[in-house]
Every structure is written in C-alpha cells, then in structure tokens.
Amino acid sequence: MKKSIGPKILHLPAPVWLVGTYDADNRPNVMAASWTGICCSQPPCVTVSLRKARYTHGNLMARRAFTISIPSEAQVKIADYVGMASGRNVDKYAQAGLTAVRSEHVDAPYAQEFPVVMECRLLHTFELGSHTQFIGEIVDVKVDEDALDERGVPVIAKLKPFAYLDGYRGLGDYLGDAFSIGKEIGEA
Amino acid sequence: MKKSIGPKILHLPAPVWLVGTYDADNRPNVMAASWTGICCSQPPCVTVSLRKARYTHGNLMARRAFTISIPSEAQVKIADYVGMASGRNVDKYAQAGLTAVRSEHVDAPYAQEFPVVMECRLLHTFELGSHTQFIGEIVDVKVDEDALDERGVPVIAKLKPFAYLDGYRGLGDYLGDAFSIGKEIGEA
C-alpha cells in the first residue's frame, strides 16, 4: 500500500554541484546547488536552479557565465560549507583553502582542487517561482589527468563523486551496465 | 594538472527516473530518463528532458501530465529495459510484469511496484535543441507505507534508490549531514 505524503520534493538522489561565478568586483565565488541536472545532449546543457536571494544569482545574471565543479568524497565538508556561507559576507575560496583559476572559455572561475569542472555559458533563464532556472551550454570539460583512463574517460573510482539524499552519500556497488542489463526483460 | 576533454556530458551522478504517461489509446507507458532533476521548491517542480522521437514525448504533449517513479536497486533491470524498449512497439508494463495504476490527481499512470511515485502536471515546455525540457509541478507524492518512518519520512535504506554514472550504482556510505558538516570550515 502506498501512502500520500503530499507535494514534497524528494531528492533520491540529487547531484552536488559547485557553481563558480565572479561578482561585480571580480572576486571568485562558489556555491553548492542540488536543484541541478543535465537537460540537453546537443548542445550539451546543464540546468541549475537558484533562489533570487543567492549571491550567485546576481553574478550569473550579470556575467552570463558559470562553472560547475564536481567535488570528491574527501571534499564533502567544503561542499557543504560553500552551500551555507554567502559570498556577500565572506571569501569562501580563502576560508576553504581553494585556489581560484580563470576559465579558459567563459567569464567565470573554478577551484583547482575539485577534480572535474565544466565551463558553461548561459543560454536561457526561466522564472519558475521560488527559483530561477539557468540553462548553460557546456563549452568545455576539464578533468584531473590522474582521474582519466588511457582512453581519456573519467574513472569513477578515482573521482569519487557523491550525492545528496537524506544527507550526503558516496556511490556504492556497481549494479550493472546501462542499455544492457535490461535485455534480460525483453528486446530493446 | 587538468586536461580538457571537450564539451562532453558527464553524469556524476544522474538520477534514474521512470516517466509514466498514457498514449492516445489510453495504454499506460513508462520510460527511464536521466536528463532529469529538481528545478523549483515553490511550486515544487521537476525537470525531464526528452528527445522528440521518444513515444513518451508525444504522450506528454497530448496529456500534459506524467508521473515520476523511483525504482529500487532490485528493479535495476526493469529500469534499464524501459529505457531501451519503446511503447510504440511493445506493452512494457506487461513485458516487465508491472501493474498499472491510474494517478489520483493527474491524467497519467504509474506502476504499483516502484516504491515512490510523484504525480505531476505539465507546467512548461522549453525547446533546447536535441531535447525538449518538460517542467512538471509535483501535485502529490506517494510512498510504500513500509518505506516510511514513524514521522512519515522516506527511509533511504528501505527505498534503495540508485544512480546512473559509468553504469548503475547503488548509494553507499553516509558521508555526513547536509547544512551541518561544513560548519567545521567556517560560519554559515
């Protein structure tokens, strides 16, 4: 039997993405966001939803560029911190011991310490209610060299990304290959 | 050192959501989608991006309603199957042994067997390129009663959701509380 629990949001799981922007004084900022995801393959696009009150919201509207960094398990406290503190009041890069790097292709910074970064240019903004949805085109992805295999594919066991559910959780057992294990049920 | 790997899409991780719709003949259909996520808190909204060629795309445009079910680890083969087969050619509910239930609030079906379902009404569609982005308002969430704790909160260890990365992976170790463990780095 199913029980109704009302129109709640369940993140089962949601990503933990770190959004990098410059503010009006060219100071690098970074915040964690989980109302995020992939939303198009061609052009390759991500969606990031932010409340208007967030400092990053104004930065993104002004610069029309951002980065998305993917933190590793060992960086979970930093990810949590940059989701709570505001760049209005504090230099989060300094406080968390992060090294700001200017993106190669877009007007936004990223932290050298996170193993993966996507450089994004803002394509669309949609007002949805409490949140503005930002759609960004991925113009480049950079990955720590030692987390790539010999074919240049990122290795999950080295990146150790994590997710946001009832708290933060690492990724666990490998359950099977996508577009493959379902063939036991029926023809594709 | 970081290495550029170009404008690739990395799902690190992406959710595995099952989208339920009725077709023009009122047959229930279900497909897996991972270009998905949460995109607004008030109203509570989800985003699902689909290629125009998908059968669900037409169903969703016509009915303006859908469900999102969250499968459990033991259902990973079913999730993979419904992401490969098309409702144009086969009754996926029958093939996978699923029981179709009509939603209480929207014109869309869901499968009784998946532990969580969100009933959604379509609010917006945005053409992004290869994919159409569907924004749906969550009007109700239903959860298997035995997966709720005494406060009515879903228990992750009972739901056992999984994610899509290099393949499907379960969720692993608990790394810490959100909006909490970052306080070791600095003030919120």
Side-chain angles (χ1 to χ4, degrees):
Chain A
M1 273 297 293
K2 281 190 167 52
K3 186 176 174 180
S4 169
I5 60 170
K8 284 197 173 49
I9 284 177
L10 296 182
H11 31 96
L12 293 168
V16 179
W17 283 0
L18 307 183
V19 187
T21 53
Y22 286 119
D23 73 5
D25 298 321
N26 291 313
R27 291 179 305 183
N29 187 42
V30 58
M31 73 168 284
S34 285
W35 289 184
T36 59
I38 298 160
C39 61
C40 193
S41 295
Q42 200 51 247
C45 289
V46 293
T47 162
V48 175
S49 287
L50 302 177
R51 289 181 188 272
K52 285 196 186 65
R54 299 302 299 244
Y55 197 51
T56 297
H57 190 288
N59 296 350
L60 229 165
M61 284 291 195
R63 296 297 182 107
R64 302 191 67 81
F66 60 102
T67 60
I68 298 289
S69 293
I70 313 272
S72 198
E73 280 191 17
Q75 298 164 324
V76 64
K77 286 178 188 171
I78 296 175
D80 193 53
Y81 167 69
V82 302
M84 291 190 291
S86 172
R88 257 187 213 97
N89 313 317
V90 64
D91 177 343
K92 291 191 259 188
Y93 275 77
Q95 186 70 30
L98 298 171
T99 312
V101 179
R102 175 171 282 279
S103 289
E104 185 183 5
H105 301 284
V106 303
D107 184 20
Y110 63 88
Q112 181 62 37
E113 286 78 6
F114 302 116
V116 178
V117 60
M118 309 180 223
E119 299 184 12
C120 302
R121 69 185 183 94
L122 185 61
L123 286 188
H124 309 285
T125 62
F126 300 123
E127 298 300 335
L128 299 180
S130 61
H131 286 63
T132 304
Q133 185 188 38
F134 296 92
I135 307 282
E137 179 183 352
I138 303 168
V139 295
D140 193 29
V141 176
K142 291 175 171 66
V143 181
D144 282 355
E145 276 193 274
D146 58 11
L148 293 169
D149 68 15
E150 65 283 354
R151 297 166 303 157
V153 176
V155 179
I156 298 301
K158 291 183 177 173
L159 294 178
K160 289 188 180 294
F162 57 93
Y164 172 43
L165 296 94
D166 49 349
Y168 302 111
R169 284 181 185 269
L171 277 300
D173 293 339
Y174 194 83
L175 302 176
D177 293 348
F179 307 103
S180 173
I181 57 171
K183 291 176 186 170
E184 283 185 35
I185 308 280
E187 280 180 47
Chain B
M1 273 299 292
K2 281 189 167 53
K3 184 175 175 181
S4 170
I5 60 169
K8 284 200 173 47
I9 284 177
L10 296 182
H11 30 97
L12 294 169
V16 179
W17 283 0
L18 307 183
V19 186
T21 53
Y22 287 119
D23 73 5
D25 297 321
N26 291 313
R27 292 179 304 182
N29 187 42
V30 59
M31 73 168 283
S34 285
W35 289 183
T36 60
I38 298 160
C39 60
C40 192
S41 295
Q42 199 53 247
C45 290
V46 292
T47 161
V48 175
S49 288
L50 302 176
R51 289 181 188 272
K52 283 194 186 66
R54 299 303 298 242
Y55 197 52
T56 296
H57 189 289
N59 296 348
L60 229 166
M61 284 291 195
R63 298 296 183 106
R64 301 191 66 80
F66 61 102
T67 60
I68 298 290
S69 293
I70 312 273
S72 197
E73 279 190 17
Q75 298 163 326
V76 64
K77 286 178 188 171
I78 296 176
D80 193 52
Y81 166 70
V82 302
M84 290 190 293
S86 172
R88 256 188 214 98
N89 313 317
V90 64
D91 178 345
K92 291 192 258 187
Y93 275 78
Q95 186 70 29
L98 298 172
T99 312
V101 179
R102 175 170 282 279
S103 289
E104 186 183 4
H105 301 285
V106 302
D107 185 21
Y110 63 89
Q112 181 62 38
E113 286 77 8
F114 302 116
V116 177
V117 60
M118 311 178 220
E119 299 184 11
C120 302
R121 69 185 183 92
L122 185 60
L123 288 187
H124 308 286
T125 62
F126 301 123
E127 298 300 335
L128 299 180
S130 61
H131 285 63
T132 304
Q133 185 187 40
F134 297 92
I135 307 283
E137 178 182 352
I138 303 168
V139 295
D140 193 29
V141 176
K142 292 175 171 66
V143 182
D144 282 355
E145 276 193 273
D146 58 10
L148 293 168
D149 68 15
E150 66 283 353
R151 299 165 302 157
V153 175
V155 179
I156 299 300
K158 291 182 176 172
L159 294 178
K160 290 188 180 296
F162 56 92
Y164 172 43
L165 296 94
D166 47 350
Y168 302 111
R169 284 180 186 268
L171 276 301
D173 293 339
Y174 193 83
L175 303 176
D177 293 347
F179 306 105
S180 173
I181 57 172
K183 291 176 186 169
E184 284 184 35
I185 308 279
E187 280 179 45

